[in-house]
Amino acid sequence: MSNDTVYLIASLVKAVVIFLAGVHVVPILVILERRISAWVQFRIGPNRVGPLGLFQPLADLVKFISKEDFRPATASPMLFGLGPILTALPPFLVLAMIPLAPSIEIGGRQLALSVVDTDLGLLFVVALSSLSVYGLAIGGWSSDNKYSLLGGLRSSAQMVSYELALGLSALAVVAIAGSVSLPEIVAQQSQFIGFAENGRWAGWNVFAQPLAFILFLIAGFAETNRLPFDLPEAESELVGGYHTEYGGTKFALFFMGEYVAMLAISLMISILFLGGWHFPGDKAVIDWAVGLVGAEGAAISWVTALIGHLALLAKVGFFLFLFIQIRWTLPRFRYDQLMTLGWKVLLPLATANLLLTGAVVSWS
Amino acid sequence: MDPELATTIAFYVFALLAIAGSVGVVANKNPVASAMCLVATFVAVAGLYLTLSATFLAAVQILVYAGAIMVLFLFVIMLLNLSHETFEGISVRRTMGGAIAFAFIFISIGLLWGTGPKPGEAMSVRPGTGLEIGRTFLKDYVFPFEMASLLLLVAMIGAIVLARRPKLVGGDR
Amino acid sequence: MSVFHYYVVAAILFSIGAGGFLLRRNLLVMFMSVELMLNAANLCLVAASSSFDLARGSSFALVSIAVAAAEVGVGLAIIIAWFRLRPSVDAGDLQELRG
């Protein structure tokens, strides 16, 4: 087998694995969401299907699939079907750009653990995540229902407004790391707190960029349409917003898009601000683990990747919990408050932060 | 699989998608469907940039065109609620316009054939990485770069001034 | 692939855009056709930049993308302002400036 064939097969395997992982995160998040919401509201939550109610998502899935595939008579058939697909697709494309662990050695070659191995990772993540607005807008518009239309309009305006703050706060991290490559941004944060030998910041970016971290987090909430920014589907104002007319499998696709987007944004926060797969004392832990299994040669990189991946997953799990917890804690914004926050608070703060960071980086 | 062959296949897929999408833009009666076809065209053109190894421009193309410009288009179409549009019929003058445009395809390809590079000519695939483009901008073309940012600022202010609801004299609506 | 192939695709895209601009009366669709033509020009620039091994063509394409963004912002604002004046997006109704 030639090198190209090996590369092609490795890429395909990575793509399939990441896709399946993304799909399987959804039921886990569904059951977590329902149990955590119950915990927040002093209820018990779903506990009948299977042990501890763990099979509840499976029952939900059966319900979604067996429902009637309904379409309003005046809805345009093609665009109506396109909406959910365009919502579910971009988050998976974003996942494909994100490295999940340090690269491993296989057959004497380095293999990056992201589906797409590009040095413009951050740029593509921002670009692709902005595509998910089409699904919501098209779905809302094609339903031919005034509430759906309002939901679609709201989502497109909201996405465009908060994308700016999201991109600008991520750019501050790029200024510090000096790269838009996600593995390099992680490599720059190799220490918990501290400077590298050449005097550059080498700790987690959350300590160097606390403001950018908060802005990115808020904009991330808005980009995934989660409370307190769920105005496109605000059920007390718009019935169901853009997905009012959707049911069955199509509704499930909207649902899946939202949860995978949540996963992707949690991964991005962990990678940009919380050191990715680094954690305090990670070198000692990896040395200990390598000694424990007696790994040598290429196997060391495999152990490193596994431990790094688990560390990253722990951080992602924390942010997913935060997402769910906040949804059931905070009330929704009013629409003018949403726009004021996006354009008059987040955007100037992100711009000022970027200018300040640029000045400090170029001065030092 | 040969990378050369993969590039060729990708080129034809993206080229066909771009052309089909652009035909969809022009031929669709429904402006929202037109806009979605245009999004498909832009993504396909980004794919063509990728086959040229212009990764940075592909990202910018998706970010700016598909991510911002078309969302704005869609927003305006939905805001004006232009749902029931019909094709405007064919007049003699506009048929001539279409014929001219159709002829232009052959004229331009003919000109290319006469004076441009030949189909067989190999090309070095290095259109400038993001780093090189950045250097070009900040060394040789600082002034155009600054003018572009100024232009964007002016356009932003202009758009706000133009689109804001005019204040009515004597009471509000 | 040779740069010729890219030029041909660009020529076809440009012609379809020009045809759309001339054939359609809907202001928004006409505007979208203009974007199509701009994209065809950009594709030419990037392909040429690639065949001459220069970063300049790509830089120019980047500037033209920025200009396109500015143009769309202003253009759509004008369409909204016009729509407020007279609820129609038919280019044939734009006769206010006729003496």
Side-chain angles (χ1 to χ4, degrees):
Chain A
M1 275 198 303
S2 72
N3 269 347
D4 292 325
T5 318
V6 173
Y7 183 76
L8 191 73
I9 292 174
S11 303
L12 283 177
V13 168
K14 282 190 287 188
V16 171
V17 168
I18 296 293
F19 176 73
L20 289 179
V23 170
H24 284 86
V25 159
V26 176
I28 299 172
L29 283 175
V30 169
I31 188 78
L32 274 179
E33 173 115 71
R34 298 188 65 171
R35 293 306 291 249
I36 292 174
S37 70
W39 172 69
V40 171
Q41 298 172 336
F42 298 104
R43 298 185 281 114
I44 294 173
N47 64 348
R48 296 300 169 94
V49 191
L52 299 171
L54 284 178
F55 293 162
Q56 183 66 39
L58 204 65
D60 287 345
L61 184 70
V62 172
K63 184 190 77 174
F64 278 135
I65 291 175
S66 56
K67 270 189 177 175
E68 183 196 354
D69 190 17
F70 175 77
R71 181 168 60 80
T74 47
S76 81
M78 212 187 74
L79 292 176
F80 190 76
L82 204 60
I85 297 171
L86 283 185
T87 314
L89 192 64
F92 282 104
L93 294 179
V94 172
L95 271 192
M97 298 289 164
I98 301 178
L100 297 174
S103 54
I104 56 172
E105 212 178 308
I106 184 165
R109 287 177 58 175
Q110 291 285 319
L111 183 72
L113 288 185
S114 57
V115 178
V116 182
D117 182 17
T118 167
D119 52 355
L120 295 172
L122 181 60
L123 211 57
F124 274 105
V125 166
V126 177
L128 291 171
S129 67
S130 62
L131 292 185
S132 55
V133 63
Y134 289 112
L136 308 188
I138 287 295
W141 183 83
S142 64
S143 301
D144 207 12
N145 167 329
K146 59 183 168 187
Y147 297 113
S148 302
L149 180 68
L150 279 173
L153 262 177
R154 281 182 174 192
S155 78
S156 52
Q158 176 178 331
M159 292 280 215
V160 169
S161 313
Y162 280 77
E163 220 166 69
L164 291 169
L166 192 85
L168 285 177
S169 51
L171 271 185
V173 171
V174 172
I176 287 186
S179 169
V180 285
S181 148
L182 294 175
E184 276 183 39
I185 289 175
V186 173
Q188 169 254 322
Q189 309 174 69
S190 57
Q191 303 169 21
F192 187 54
I193 296 179
F195 290 89
E197 281 157 11
N198 58 4
R200 301 192 67 159
W201 177 253
W204 288 9
N205 284 331
V206 63
F207 301 119
Q209 289 287 343
L211 183 61
F213 171 69
I214 293 168
L215 294 176
F216 195 89
L217 192 65
I218 295 174
F221 272 92
E223 287 284 296
T224 47
N225 290 320
R226 295 283 297 188
L227 260 168
F229 299 102
D230 72 334
L231 284 108
E233 48 184 310
E235 56 276 86
S236 48
E237 305 166 21
L238 295 181
V239 190
Y242 57 88
H243 60 57
T244 305
E245 300 286 2
Y246 284 92
T249 327
K250 287 181 180 140
F251 177 75
L253 275 176
F254 275 126
F255 218 65
M256 193 163 90
E258 181 181 324
Y259 280 114
V260 178
M262 227 164 91
L263 175 68
I265 208 86
S266 305
L267 274 165
M268 284 311 294
I269 297 173
S270 313
I271 284 177
L272 289 180
F273 293 99
L274 290 180
W277 43 77
H278 293 299
F279 53 95
D282 52 349
K283 288 187 186 69
V285 172
I286 290 167
D287 284 344
W288 173 78
V290 167
L292 194 70
V293 296
E296 51 191 29
I300 293 177
S301 73
W302 290 65
V303 174
T304 314
L306 183 65
I307 292 174
H309 184 59
L310 291 177
L312 184 61
L313 278 193
K315 291 169 191 172
V316 169
F318 168 75
F319 281 108
L320 290 174
F321 177 77
L322 189 72
F323 266 91
I324 296 172
Q325 165 86 19
I326 283 183
R327 169 168 177 186
W328 297 96
T329 311
L330 291 182
R332 182 182 304 127
F333 280 109
R334 219 171 48 216
Y335 200 70
D336 59 318
Q337 292 171 331
L338 175 92
M339 284 294 143
T340 311
L341 181 70
W343 287 100
K344 294 185 182 165
V345 180
L346 296 189
L347 182 60
L349 278 180
T351 316
N353 185 52
L354 180 61
L355 283 177
L356 190 68
T357 311
V360 170
V361 166
S362 58
W363 175 71
S364 60
Chain B
M1 198 163 144
D2 186 23
E4 191 78 16
L5 179 67
T7 312
T8 311
I9 295 175
F11 169 81
Y12 280 109
V13 169
F14 285 129
L16 285 179
L17 184 62
I19 291 167
S22 57
V23 170
V25 174
V26 175
N28 253 309
K29 292 176 184 174
N30 183 334
V32 172
S34 281
M36 289 318 289
C37 286
L38 195 52
V39 174
T41 311
F42 287 158
V43 172
V45 171
L48 286 176
Y49 290 166
L50 282 182
T51 63
L52 285 165
S53 325
T55 326
F56 180 72
L57 270 169
V60 171
Q61 165 93 2
I62 294 182
L63 189 66
V64 177
Y65 269 112
I69 290 183
M70 286 320 291
V71 177
L72 210 59
F73 261 105
L74 210 57
F75 184 80
V76 169
I77 295 171
M78 284 162 65
L79 189 73
L80 306 182
N81 207 0
L82 309 168
S83 45
H84 307 292
E85 204 243 351
T86 48
F87 203 73
E88 308 89 345
I90 300 290
S91 72
V92 179
R93 256 195 292 179
R94 278 190 287 137
T95 316
M96 271 169 60
I100 292 170
F102 193 65
F104 185 76
I105 298 181
F106 297 100
I107 295 169
S108 52
I109 293 175
L111 282 175
L112 257 179
W113 196 272
T115 58
K118 294 290 170 290
E121 263 172 50
M123 54 197 272
S124 65
V125 188
R126 234 175 53 85
T129 59
L131 196 70
E132 280 170 345
I133 293 176
R135 287 228 174 90
T136 317
F137 265 132
L138 294 179
K139 277 191 177 150
D140 305 340
Y141 299 115
V142 178
F143 186 67
F145 183 66
E146 296 294 331
M147 287 319 285
S149 61
L150 194 67
L151 179 73
L152 282 171
L153 181 67
V154 171
M156 196 165 83
I157 297 169
I160 294 171
V161 170
L162 279 170
R164 82 188 302 177
R165 191 159 279 149
K167 281 216 174 75
L168 293 178
V169 187
D172 51 348
R173 283 209 276 203
Chain C
M1 296 319 302
S2 75
V3 70
F4 180 82
H5 292 86
Y6 290 91
Y7 287 160
V8 169
V9 174
I12 295 174
L13 286 185
F14 188 91
S15 309
I16 294 173
F21 187 79
L22 294 170
L23 275 170
R24 298 298 302 266
R25 301 291 291 275
N26 186 323
L27 281 176
L28 282 156
V29 178
M30 285 167 76
F31 203 11
M32 284 188 223
S33 305
V34 172
E35 291 306 310
L36 210 55
M37 292 195 275
L38 267 173
N39 247 269
N42 266 350
L43 182 59
C44 259
L45 277 173
V46 178
S49 156
S50 161
S51 72
F52 293 125
D53 200 3
L54 283 173
R56 286 191 194 156
S58 300
S59 314
F60 197 83
L62 210 58
V63 172
S64 103
I65 288 178
V67 172
E71 171 231 342
V72 166
V74 176
L76 286 177
I78 292 174
I79 292 181
I80 289 182
W82 164 251
F83 192 81
R84 237 180 235 137
L85 209 63
R86 181 152 312 169
S88 150
V89 286
D90 193 313
D93 293 344
L94 279 168
Q95 294 182 340
E96 297 289 297
L97 288 180
R98 195 172 276 178

